[in-house]
Amino acid sequence: MPEITEWRDRIWRYRLIGSRCGGCGSTYYPPRNSRCLKCGGDLEEVELPRRGKLLSYTVVYQAPTLYKYSTPYIVGYIELLDGTRLFAMLTDVEPDEVRVGMELEATLRKLYTYGESGHIVYGVKFRPAVG
Ligand SMILES: [Zn+2]
């Protein structure tokens, strides 16, 4: 797992930046650098809505080393308000509380601790929406 130093990486991790196709309007998260998978059109960066609902989920008990500290954790398949679908870790909800259809919002949280320096990498997770 490379250390995150690129400015553009930081931007899309801290805000919810995706790609939208100028041809067919399809959206992608994380953003893609190449062309639209559906029509081959050009993609541009867009800020995606931070709210959505849970379509399905998986509870992860056997995690890669970087994520072992947080097991069990939940990976959700989420549909944002604009229809963008993505996978993301959920937070602030226990496996026995999670429900398909629940309203979620993006939040910035620790993803993992990197290397012996203990450098903490943050990124977007989703939590139950408040208000
Ligand atoms: Zn397209």
Side-chain angles (χ1 to χ4, degrees):
M1 185 72 63
E3 193 158 2
I4 307 305
T5 52
E6 276 253 351
W7 179 82
R8 286 169 66 84
D9 272 353
R10 288 181 185 274
I11 295 299
W12 71 254
R13 281 174 184 273
Y14 287 35
R15 296 162 69 203
L16 203 55
I17 301 295
S19 303
R20 176 173 290 135
C21 173
C24 71
S26 296
T27 49
Y28 298 93
Y29 180 88
R32 291 172 51 78
N33 291 321
S34 50
R35 294 183 166 272
C36 176
L37 288 173
K38 289 171 187 151
C39 77
D42 288 326
L43 300 174
E44 60 175 8
E45 282 189 357
V46 290
E47 183 161 11
L48 300 171
R50 301 180 66 83
R51 282 221 178 197
K53 70 178 180 192
L54 187 61
L55 297 180
S56 67
Y57 64 92
T58 299
V59 180
V60 178
Y61 294 95
Q62 302 284 335
T65 306
L66 285 171
Y67 293 100
K68 279 216 170 79
Y69 76 94
S70 59
T71 56
Y73 61 84
I74 306 163
V75 174
Y77 186 48
I78 299 159
E79 184 176 83
L80 303 179
L81 291 178
D82 70 349
T84 304
R85 293 181 172 192
L86 57 93
F87 290 94
M89 286 174 72
L90 305 190
T91 188
D92 298 352
V93 60
E94 298 299 322
D96 63 351
E97 298 168 342
V98 65
R99 298 285 180 270
V100 167
M102 70 193 302
E103 299 283 325
L104 300 170
E105 64 186 4
T107 183
L108 187 67
R109 290 298 167 87
K110 172 183 168 180
L111 288 184
Y112 51 82
T113 304
Y114 180 81
E116 299 191 349
S117 63
H119 180 68
I120 296 173
V121 175
Y122 292 88
V124 171
K125 295 185 183 180
F126 281 76
R127 69 180 176 196
V130 285

